[in-house]
Amino acid sequence: MNGWIDSILQGVMLGAIYALFAAGLSLVFGVMRLVNVAHGDFIVLSAFIALWLQRITGFSSPFLTLILLVPLMFLVGYVLQRVILNPAFGADILRPVLITFGLSVIIQNGLLQGFSADSQKLHGGKLEVASIALPGGLAIGVLPLLTLGVSAAMIGLLQWMLYRTKLGRALRATSADLSTAGLMGVNTSHLFAMAAGIAMVTVAVAGVFTGIRASFDAVSGPDWLIFAFEAVIIGGLGSLWGTLAGGLILGMAQTTGARFSPGWQLLSGHLVFLAILILCPRGLFPRRTE
Amino acid sequence: MNLLSVSKLNAYYGDFQALFDVDFHAHPGEVIAIIGANGAGKSTFLNAIAGNVTGRGNSITFAEEAISGLRSWQIVSRGIALVPEGRRLFSSLTVEENLLMGAYANTKDAWPLTHIYETFPQLKLKAKQSALSLSGGEQQMVAIGRALISNPLLLMCDELSLGLAPMVVHDIYETLTTVRERGVTLIIVEQNVRQALAFADRVYCFQEGRVSLTGRAGELKPEDVSRAYFGLAGAA
Ligand SMILES: Nc1ncnc2c1ncn2[C@@H]1O[C@H](COP(=O)(O)OP(=O)(O)OP(=O)(O)O)[C@@H](O)[C@H]1O
Ligand SMILES: [Mg+2]
């Protein structure tokens, strides 16, 4: 019995990482209807930049690198959207997706050149091994618990931004009707770039948390993209709380599957994803209106 | 003194030319109706002024400043608001959020929301509802309120009465009368020619992308109007 509870707990913790992966993907899809194929690679890129920042600044904790990494990634997202992706939006919905595919290849090759194919890890120090004992001989790691908190807080912040701020209102309006939003005085190119920048902030956070938890290399991105993608689809396209739920469900599916046999971990995650896709094609919590 | 003057406006959708050398002007406080058959280019004209359709080789001057070539989002803050054809409310936003979007650009001069609710009391009761859950007439009020909240000098309305019951149309024109009394310049595109002639000071008739007739509303002869509206074949 305890074994099952432990699996579910571990699943929730793992799922928090997946929700962190998926938050930015979900935001960008919700606002721009764009699937960023390079999303996973940007997370890996963030982890590598954190590694490099730690080396040159001597920051003891990788979390400190976020002070520089967050504004940097915001800028990367903003400029990328404004200069490369916005002009590609138009009649052909495939074009921006193909561009992100190209970016994915470029990032992977760039990282291979810059950091070799070796697998890397960010070192979280004592935090990595600290844990809280629960009754029944169970334990939860402090880092996974922190990840869960940050993941939920980030989704909550995004939700607040979208539904309670002027920026969010304009983002939703632009998403619903681009040309009419322009008539209201919304500079839609700037707004899409803001959304991309904010998504990259979540990517920076995801990069650091993931890099501490697991090892990564230059080509880890596509695997991480799959998890992010599955979390978004399970939760329902365009719904941020759904994305959090989707991440947790995916995590629990994987860890409970792994109880039967370690080899089943990934497979059972994919199976649950497929089952949900078949049973509710719009995901568990599709966006309210539309 | 003209508030708006347009000379030789040409507009295109790809290779298709929708407007040919359109000349147009509006004095401050004037009410102008644009009439014309389907596809005559009325909406294209309004969208060209609002910056949603870019013209070529034209000059549009508003309040003594050239605005041709500006993007739509830069034009609102100059004092031009458009109630687009088909209302174009934001489907995923509430009534109140739709109204607030109208004040996005110029928060300084913007009307307070309470002003809009005084003009359209029904909307206050439905402020938190999705905009698309309202009746057609109420949706049109949201669209007008969303344009008015920016406190425009020039309000352009594209086929306000389309698909609405006569009573509702009557109410909406009553509201426009109060807007006009505040000195706002109005350009209305109207399918109902009688309504247009009764409400406007001056009329432009469009036909196949050109101005086919223009004059003071009271001075136009009905046979001239129908010739300008339907083309020569219709007049025969
Ligand atoms: N987005 C577009 N792409 C291509 N052609 C268009 C587009 N919008 C309008 N047109 C064409 O431009 C011409 C003028 O259209 P417009 O909508 O301005 O006419 P209108 O006078 O407003 O007609 P209606 O009374 O039906 O609203 C028409 O021939 C129309 O088919
Ligand atoms: Mg029209």
Side-chain angles (χ1 to χ4, degrees):
Chain A
M1 189 60 213
N2 265 2
W4 286 105
I5 296 175
D6 187 51
S7 291
I8 288 177
L9 270 179
Q10 300 312 319
V12 169
M13 302 299 160
L14 181 62
I17 286 270
Y18 294 158
L20 217 47
F21 283 178
L25 196 70
S26 181
L27 177 71
V28 164
F29 183 84
V31 172
M32 296 181 242
R33 296 284 179 276
L34 168 69
V35 177
N36 181 359
V37 177
H39 186 76
D41 302 291
F42 278 110
I43 299 174
V44 175
L45 176 68
S46 298
F48 271 108
I49 296 176
L51 191 72
W52 173 75
L53 280 173
Q54 222 179 340
R55 249 181 238 155
I56 61 164
T57 59
F59 282 151
S60 58
S61 160
F63 292 116
L64 286 176
T65 64
L66 283 171
I67 299 168
L68 298 168
L69 189 60
V70 163
L72 176 71
M73 290 310 285
F74 177 87
L75 213 67
V76 167
Y78 187 96
V79 171
L80 200 69
Q81 184 69 38
R82 191 105 197 224
V83 176
I84 298 178
L85 289 170
N86 276 342
F89 283 149
D92 182 4
I93 55 164
L94 213 54
R95 218 164 78 192
V97 178
L98 289 177
I99 290 177
T100 65
F101 187 73
L103 286 171
S104 162
V105 175
I106 291 169
I107 294 171
Q108 286 177 32
N109 282 296
L111 289 174
L112 277 173
Q113 288 293 320
F115 292 90
S116 82
D118 295 345
S119 154
Q120 304 280 0
K121 208 176 158 301
L122 295 172
H123 295 286
K126 270 183 287 185
L127 194 65
E128 268 185 75
V129 289
S131 69
I132 298 168
L134 293 181
L138 295 171
I140 317 183
V142 171
L143 180 67
L145 205 58
L146 185 67
T147 311
L148 180 62
V150 166
S151 186
M154 200 143 74
I155 299 261
L157 265 176
L158 290 179
Q159 183 80 12
W160 172 82
M161 185 275 293
L162 269 184
Y163 287 90
R164 294 279 174 268
T165 67
K166 184 177 173 184
L167 172 68
R169 194 196 303 137
L171 280 171
R172 286 182 295 131
T174 305
S175 167
D177 188 337
L178 190 80
S179 75
T180 306
L183 284 178
M184 307 290 118
V186 178
N187 180 354
T188 52
S189 305
H190 165 70
L191 230 70
F192 276 175
M194 286 297 286
I198 292 168
M200 281 298 183
V201 169
T202 73
V203 161
V205 175
V208 169
F209 275 90
T210 315
I212 297 171
R213 184 187 169 105
S215 57
F216 53 92
D217 58 46
V219 293
S220 300
D223 293 342
W224 295 1
L225 175 71
I226 299 273
F227 297 142
F229 195 66
E230 289 183 344
V232 173
I233 303 277
I234 290 173
L237 287 173
S239 155
L240 286 166
W241 288 120
T243 297
L244 179 62
L248 299 186
I249 290 169
L250 183 63
M252 289 188 283
Q254 290 189 356
T255 52
T256 48
R259 273 192 67 77
F260 293 105
S261 150
W264 280 27
Q265 169 153 357
L266 294 184
L267 183 64
S268 56
H270 296 323
L271 287 177
V272 166
F273 163 72
L274 275 179
I276 289 175
L277 199 59
I278 291 165
L279 294 177
C280 13
R282 304 193 54 215
L284 295 177
F285 309 97
R287 185 143 62 177
R288 291 176 298 179
T289 42
E290 255 165 339
Chain B
M1 256 319 302
N2 290 332
L3 178 68
L4 174 74
S5 58
V6 177
S7 67
K8 303 249 173 303
L9 174 63
N10 291 282
Y12 302 81
Y13 294 105
D15 291 334
F16 175 78
Q17 185 165 4
L19 293 177
F20 299 83
D21 290 336
V22 172
D23 290 318
F24 184 100
H25 69 271
H27 299 298
E30 217 176 6
V31 176
I32 294 176
I34 300 178
I35 57 175
N38 288 340
K42 307 177 297 291
S43 300
T44 304
F45 179 71
L46 297 192
N47 274 307
I49 294 171
N52 242 352
V53 173
T54 35
R56 265 183 249 162
N58 58 299
S59 79
I60 305 178
T61 312
F62 182 75
E64 294 179 63
E65 285 181 66
I67 58 164
S68 15
L70 293 185
R71 313 291 301 274
S72 60
W73 61 271
Q74 297 168 308
I75 287 178
V76 210
S77 49
R78 310 278 171 126
I80 299 180
L82 170 64
V83 181
E85 185 169 18
R87 307 187 276 267
R88 303 289 286 265
L89 299 184
F90 299 111
S91 55
S92 47
L93 270 59
T94 65
V95 168
E96 185 153 308
E97 287 177 325
N98 265 279
L99 292 171
L100 287 172
M101 279 310 295
Y104 183 86
N106 35 358
T107 33
K108 242 191 358 265
D109 311 327
W111 278 26
L113 206 52
T114 50
H115 247 69
I116 300 292
Y117 289 144
E118 278 161 27
T119 315
F120 303 111
Q122 289 116 294
L123 296 187
K124 183 163 190 177
L125 303 172
K126 305 191 171 176
K128 299 285 181 247
Q129 289 185 22
S130 153
L132 294 194
S133 68
L134 271 54
S135 71
E138 289 166 337
Q139 288 190 26
Q140 193 61 274
M141 291 173 198
V142 177
I144 296 171
R146 188 177 66 175
L148 279 179
I149 201 168
S150 70
N151 195 11
L153 297 168
L154 171 65
L155 177 68
M156 305 190 288
C157 301
D158 199 347
E159 303 207 11
L160 289 179
S161 38
L162 201 68
L164 300 182
M167 273 301 294
V168 180
V169 174
H170 176 261
D171 287 352
I172 282 178
Y173 270 90
E174 214 143 72
T175 311
L176 284 189
T177 305
T178 66
V179 172
R180 129 192 246 172
E181 280 161 2
R182 283 211 321 271
V184 176
T185 307
L186 288 173
I187 301 178
I188 55 167
V189 166
E190 181 53 75
Q191 287 279 5
N192 181 339
V193 176
R194 197 179 310 170
Q195 174 84 269
L197 293 177
F199 189 70
D201 300 320
R202 233 154 29 86
V203 179
Y204 284 82
C205 186
F206 278 43
Q207 191 191 323
E208 289 171 13
R210 297 169 209 268
V211 174
S212 54
L213 180 74
T214 174
R216 303 207 64 77
E219 295 166 5
L220 294 178
K221 295 201 203 74
E223 61 270 26
D224 287 344
V225 172
S226 68
R227 190 185 309 121
Y229 196 99
F230 295 110
L232 289 171

